[in-house]
């Protein structure tokens, strides 16, 4: 009997009635099933693990970049440059115009991810009715739009953009990540090497003072001396920052307090209490060097990674000199 040395040879030896069935089974086992398995493996490798979320930011499944593969050995990131700031401002104006045209409120933006191809908005409050040209995913927690669509979308300069307290967290690969401190009610403590902390603090101060979306946000800078930007109220230390807040008045916009040094425990507690009081809701305090009882804890590592803890975001921090 001749040897059968291939699956097709085996099929040739089968009676005609079963030959088609056998060939179909061979194709399914040799071609289709391995291809499906390979696609499933590729999809699983692309999935990013979801980070647990704090109770008052129930919307976004935020981006976590594994420390072993991202942010290490890559070039240092600089602050958001003028072109990047223009792009973010354009995104906000397109969004505000679309919301006005459709009679809907501006979404509760928590994180913006901007890369050369698209913009992703992660919302603090889910909303599954996105404005054009956005599409919603993850049960309304994420809105996505292509940059080309945003460039073609109309902008009405008469439509005001709600104040945003967006600061640059840095980058993950080619994606720039911005966080709205307005969604981080309470104290944000940032710990890490002193010189790097100082650089990051100055970067955030400069961004909050200069960018169009935050230029009208009240800003208090404590402990920076002559380094504080012109748009901020400069005070000596955290205790003076607490005093500067005074008594809230109706209609007064909420803002950001940036502390260059860790506050004493009693001052930190008093700040947390004041900014959480009625009329202060929405104020944020960022304490570089740490703060007792902080609601949010970010870590700036010696290699330049910025880890936002429970927010689930790890980036290359914007520590390079502005270009």
């Amino acid at each position: 009997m001749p040897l059968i040395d291939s699956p097709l040879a085996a099929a040739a030896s089968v009676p005609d009635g079963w030959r088609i069935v056998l060939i179909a089974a061979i194709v399914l086992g040799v071609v289709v099933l391995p291809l499906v398995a390979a696609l499933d493996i590729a999809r699983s490798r692309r999935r990013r693990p979801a980070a647990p979320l704090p109770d008052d930011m129930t919307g976004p499944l935020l981006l976590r970049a594994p420390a072993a593969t991202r942010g290490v050995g890559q070039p240092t990131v600089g602050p958001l440059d003028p072109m990047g700031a223009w792009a973010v401002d354009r995104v906000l104006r397109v969004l505000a115009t679309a919301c006005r045209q459709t009679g809907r409120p501006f979404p509760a933006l928590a994180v913006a991810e901007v890369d050369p191809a698209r913009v992703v908005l992660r919302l603090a409050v889910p909303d599954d009715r996105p404005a054009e040209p956005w599409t919603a995913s993850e049960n309304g927690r994420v809105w996505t739009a292509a940059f080309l669509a945003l460039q073609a979308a109309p902008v009405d300069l008469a439509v005001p953009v709600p104040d945003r307290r967006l600061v640059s967290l840095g980058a993950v690969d080619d994606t720039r990540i911005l966080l709205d401190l307005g969604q981080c009610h309470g104290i944000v403590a940032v710990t890490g090497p002193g010189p790097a902390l100082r650089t990051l603090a100055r970067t955030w101060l400069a961004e909050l003072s200069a960018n169009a979306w935050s230029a009208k946000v009240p800003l208090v800078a404590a402990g920076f001396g002559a380094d504080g930007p012109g748009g901020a109220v400069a005070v000596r230390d955290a205790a003076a920052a607490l005093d500067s807040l005074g008594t809230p008045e109706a209609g007064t916009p909420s803002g950001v307090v940036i502390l260059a040094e860790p506050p004493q425990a009693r001052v930190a507690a008093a700040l947390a209490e004041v900014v959480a009081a009625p009329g202060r809701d929405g104020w944020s305090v960022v304490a570089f060097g740490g703060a007792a009882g902080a609601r949010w804890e970010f870590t700036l590592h010696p290699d330049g990674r910025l880890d936002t803890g429970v927010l689930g975001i790890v980036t290359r921090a914007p520590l390079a000199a502005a270009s």
Side-chain angles (χ1 to χ4, degrees), residues 160-299:
V161 177
D163 291 337
R164 301 287 96 187
R165 279 151 275 175
L166 289 168
V167 294
S168 177
L169 292 179
V172 176
D173 295 333
D174 293 330
T175 302
R176 174 71 69 162
I177 313 293
L178 296 101
L179 170 68
D180 191 339
L181 293 173
Q183 300 296 339
C184 297
H185 303 174
I187 297 180
V188 178
V190 187
T191 57
L197 285 178
R198 191 83 172 182
T199 298
L200 184 60
R202 290 172 179 167
T203 295
W204 286 6
L205 277 174
E207 289 181 343
L208 289 167
S209 298
N211 289 323
W213 56 80
S214 56
K216 296 180 181 179
V217 172
L219 181 60
V220 178
F224 289 88
D227 295 335
V233 175
V235 296
R236 183 181 66 258
D237 54 21
L242 177 61
D243 293 339
S244 73
L245 295 180
T247 302
E249 300 177 3
T252 301
S254 52
V256 181
V257 177
I258 305 286
L259 308 177
E261 302 290 341
Q264 295 180 352
R266 63 176 180 80
V267 175
L271 275 169
E273 182 177 354
V274 167
V275 300
R280 294 283 191 203
D281 187 38
W283 272 81
S284 302
V285 178
V286 183
F288 286 89
R295 192 169 191 178
W296 316 89
E297 295 184 352
F298 297 176
T299 302

Side-chain angles (χ1 to χ4, degrees), residues 17 31 58 69 75 102 106 132 139 146 193 205 208 220 252 262 266 276 282 288 290:
V31 177
T58 57
T69 59
T102 55
F106 198 89
E132 292 290 339
N139 297 319
L205 277 174
L208 289 167
V220 178
T252 301
R266 63 176 180 80
F288 286 89

Side-chain angles (χ1 to χ4, degrees), residues 118-146:
R118 65 176 188 166
V119 176
V120 177
L121 305 180
R122 300 186 180 272
L123 308 184
V125 179
D127 188 335
D128 59 2
R129 298 180 300 107
E132 292 290 339
W134 306 89
T135 59
S137 60
E138 298 185 23
N139 297 319
R141 295 168 174 171
V142 175
W143 289 9
T144 305

Side-chain angles (χ1 to χ4, degrees), residues 71-95:
V72 179
Q74 300 188 38
T76 306
V77 180
L80 194 64
D81 59 26
M83 285 300 296
W86 180 90
V88 174
D89 184 63
R90 168 79 184 188
V91 168
L92 296 176
R93 292 185 183 278
V94 167
L95 183 56

